[in-house]
């Protein structure tokens, strides 16, 4: 009831999981990553095109600001992309 998913920019999405700690959020992100990786995608009736996601995960800490949390998550996402994509990293 409290989770929220939204598009943020062209290819990026955010997930707010207020009742989920970071370890559970990483587990959830990896489950979604695996489901997406296993999902077939056919573009224009042609051969299947593999699709993957990379995820950056953080959690709010005491005296945090939304901007600071977003920067940490974005840094973790950048790390996942640098390490080869199709993975989830936390800060």
């Amino acid at each position: 009831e409290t989770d929220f998913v939204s598009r943020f920019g062209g290819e990026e999405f955010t997930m707010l999981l207020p009742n989920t700690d970071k370890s559970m959020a990483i587990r959830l992100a990896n489950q979604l990553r695996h489901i997406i990786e296993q999902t077939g995608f056919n573009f224009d009736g042609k051969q299947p095109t593999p699709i993957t996601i990379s995820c950056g995960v953080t959690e709010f800490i005491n005296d945090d600001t939304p901007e600071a949390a977003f920067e940490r998550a974005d840094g973790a996402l950048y790390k996942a992309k640098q390490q080869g994509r199709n993975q989830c990293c936390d800060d």
Side-chain angles (χ1 to χ4, degrees):
E1 293 178 15
T2 60
D3 297 348
F4 180 77
V5 178
S6 68
R7 179 182 295 272
F8 186 85
E11 297 178 343
E12 295 180 342
F13 292 82
T14 60
M15 292 175 48
L16 299 176
L17 309 169
N19 297 313
T20 306
D21 65 15
K22 188 167 33 172
S23 64
M24 183 58 93
I26 283 282
R27 190 177 321 158
L28 174 62
N30 273 307
Q31 287 173 344
L32 290 172
R33 186 188 58 75
H34 181 72
I35 290 168
I36 289 170
E37 181 181 33
Q38 299 301 313
T39 300
F41 177 75
N42 294 316
F43 177 72
D44 201 23
K46 298 178 181 167
Q47 288 187 325
T49 302
I51 56 173
T52 62
I53 64 169
S54 299
C55 304
V57 177
T58 193
E59 67 183 338
F60 280 94
I61 54 177
N62 289 341
D63 299 320
D64 218 349
T65 65
E67 294 81 11
F70 181 82
E71 284 183 29
R72 288 194 310 276
D74 196 48
L77 173 60
Y78 186 72
K79 182 169 76 172
K81 289 179 176 182
Q82 279 187 317
Q83 293 178 359
R85 301 180 183 262
N86 194 27
Q87 58 187 288
C88 300
C89 293
D90 62 0
D91 61 330

